[in-house]
Amino acid sequence: MSNVYIKTKIRSGSYAMEYLRKIRKKRILVVCDKFLAESGAISYILDALDSSNTVDIFDQAIPDPTIEVVGKGLSVICKVRPEIVIGFGGGSAIDTAKGMIYFAGVRNLVPKPKFITIPTTSGTGSEVTSAAVITDSESKSKHLISSDDILADVAILDPRLTLSVPPSITANTGMDVLTHALEAYVANGSNVFSDALSEKAIELLIKALLQCYRDGKNLEARTLMHEASTLAGMAFNTAGLGLNHSIAHQLGGTFHIPHGLANALLLNQIIDYNSVNHDIMNKYASLACKVQLVDMNESPVMAVNTLKELIRTLMRCMEMPSSIRELGINIEAYEEQLQNMTDNALMDNCLAGNPREAGTEAIKKILLSIY
């Protein structure tokens, strides 16, 4: 049996922000980071909202949002009691908004607001998922909140908001999209619906990611990547993720490695690990065929190798580091955290979705292999 639940209404394209103009006489809370608030980017929202609305801004979102930041936001949501919350920014800002809504709801602190997401990067897919990742600064671990209550009511995909994203962030977030689609494709919860979403996301990414990296002002390419990100988000929200994200969360929580980069560093190792299961190897091979990396007559081993070569080529062309060592993290510090990262990866919610079981030794081996 296949279960699919798609709650979020999606408005995509250069006129997507027009949706906001219809909102009247509402108490609105915008959640974003200081850069968006102070750089003037917030005017995209404020200019679109009618003056009859009352608008407050919580601009304390940070990369890898922490329990402390969500707590501050919770105080604000209780004070403002918004009828609408707008999560505006990258995945961290949207996850901060989700955390605020989730804990306010769990504690019955305020009536549930309508939730609108407006992503400014093409990567996390958070605008259409029922999950948020919150960091515990003390334990250096990341925790997943998962609830249909934090699914957005409306996602506004305006590619103009991504035109100024720097090349390095375009690279990292783009590889996050690829990871979402690949993990969802082989996840335990995958089905024909999530497979179709993953396939289309990767097809669009192959067309658009390098164009976005080389020419950030290419609106057509940015539109394709924005849609690929949302498709991949819908895929993993249906199918789940896996070992790749379980380990990447720990690399981010421990060493503050950008999430998309952490995922990219792991991708080929995880493909190899999962491909020990021949059914999974065949599924990766099928994907390579469907996105036209190989033809139907190619052997599964060659097809999977071609998929891995695509990943290496994308990373090389976007000048991404290919190992932890290249990030300036010394081996002693890395090994000192190895057990902690492994223990936290084993407790990570994403692990259950992986098609091949992974224990302590397997995770340690993968972590050491990417150093």
Side-chain angles (χ1 to χ4, degrees):
M1 183 174 74
S2 297
N3 293 313
V4 181
Y5 174 52
I6 300 174
K7 168 190 174 183
T8 309
K9 295 178 180 178
I10 298 169
R11 311 276 174 162
S12 181
S14 297
Y15 296 98
M17 294 287 277
E18 293 297 313
Y19 175 83
L20 296 181
R21 300 191 189 281
K22 301 172 186 176
I23 299 171
R24 299 280 194 279
K25 298 179 181 179
K26 299 293 184 183
R27 290 189 310 279
I28 300 171
L29 177 61
V30 180
V31 180
C32 63
D33 60 31
K34 279 200 177 295
F35 175 76
L36 290 176
E38 295 173 359
S39 67
I42 194 79
S43 63
Y44 273 98
I45 290 177
L46 301 182
D47 291 349
L49 289 169
D50 187 78
S51 60
S52 66
N53 297 295
T54 303
V55 183
D56 287 272
I57 298 170
F58 177 71
D59 64 359
Q60 303 297 306
I62 58 172
D64 301 321
T66 61
I67 294 168
E68 291 78 12
V69 167
V70 172
K72 288 179 185 176
L74 194 56
S75 298
V76 174
I77 210 171
C78 291
K79 180 182 176 183
V80 173
R81 298 181 71 82
E83 296 165 276
I84 297 173
V85 171
I86 298 177
F88 176 57
S92 295
I94 294 173
D95 277 7
T96 301
K98 287 179 172 181
M100 291 160 57
I101 292 169
Y102 176 78
F103 288 110
V106 164
R107 299 179 185 179
N108 268 328
L109 299 176
V110 296
K112 188 177 185 305
K114 183 173 183 176
F115 185 30
I116 299 173
T117 51
I118 307 177
T120 58
T121 61
S122 303
T124 67
S126 189
E127 66 275 5
V128 289
T129 67
S130 58
V133 180
I134 308 297
T135 299
D136 183 335
S137 306
E138 195 171 320
S139 68
K140 295 184 176 180
S141 61
K142 292 192 174 188
H143 301 285
L144 188 74
I145 296 169
S146 182
S147 169
D148 286 346
D149 288 340
I150 57 175
L151 275 168
D153 297 287
V154 178
I156 295 175
L157 310 182
D158 187 337
R160 295 175 302 170
L161 295 170
T162 68
L163 294 178
S164 60
V165 174
S168 62
I169 296 177
T170 297
N172 290 341
T173 54
M175 294 305 290
D176 198 16
V177 174
L178 182 57
T179 309
H180 290 155
L182 281 171
E183 281 211 287
Y185 202 71
V186 298
N188 289 329
S190 64
N191 56 43
V192 293
F193 303 99
S194 61
D195 284 358
L197 292 165
S198 289
E199 289 162 10
K200 192 63 180 181
I202 294 173
E203 178 190 321
L204 296 181
L205 180 141
I206 291 170
K207 288 180 184 175
L209 179 54
L210 287 183
Q211 288 187 62
C212 291
Y213 178 80
R214 291 166 177 160
D215 176 15
K217 301 298 182 185
N218 185 324
L219 187 60
E220 182 180 351
R222 289 291 195 186
T223 300
L224 293 179
M225 269 311 300
H226 223 29
E227 292 174 341
S229 176
T230 297
L231 287 166
M234 293 165 71
F236 84 74
N237 199 58
T238 299
L241 291 167
L243 181 59
N244 212 113
H245 269 75
S246 295
I247 299 177
H249 287 155
Q250 313 324 316
L251 291 169
T254 307
F255 293 107
H256 306 292
I257 297 169
H259 178 64
L261 173 58
N263 270 324
L265 290 171
L266 289 159
L267 259 177
N268 280 344
Q269 298 296 330
I270 301 300
I271 289 172
D272 282 342
Y273 181 81
N274 286 338
S275 291
V276 169
N277 178 324
H278 284 277
D279 288 340
I280 300 304
M281 179 177 68
N282 288 336
K283 195 163 187 191
Y284 282 127
S286 173
L287 176 63
C289 178
K290 286 177 179 175
V291 298
Q292 300 183 341
L293 293 176
V294 297
D295 64 40
M296 292 177 61
N297 299 320
E298 199 60 79
S299 72
V301 171
M302 183 59 70
V304 172
N305 284 338
T306 303
L307 178 61
K308 288 164 56 184
E309 186 56 38
L310 168 71
I311 292 162
R312 281 190 290 268
T313 300
L314 287 171
M315 292 180 71
R316 192 162 51 242
C317 288
M318 295 187 293
E319 301 179 336
M320 298 177 74
S322 59
S323 68
I324 299 292
R325 183 186 293 107
E326 289 180 45
L327 298 172
I329 297 166
N330 77 43
I331 186 65
E332 291 80 12
Y334 192 69
E335 289 181 335
E336 185 179 323
Q337 292 295 331
L338 195 62
Q339 188 64 52
N340 185 51
M341 288 192 291
T342 299
D343 291 344
N344 286 329
L346 286 167
M347 293 186 290
D348 190 276
N349 290 19
C350 293
L351 188 60
N354 204 65
R356 184 185 174 204
E357 286 189 10
T360 298
E361 292 311 310
I363 292 172
K364 279 186 179 178
K365 185 176 179 182
I366 290 167
L367 278 165
L368 287 170
S369 73
I370 64 170
Y371 185 82

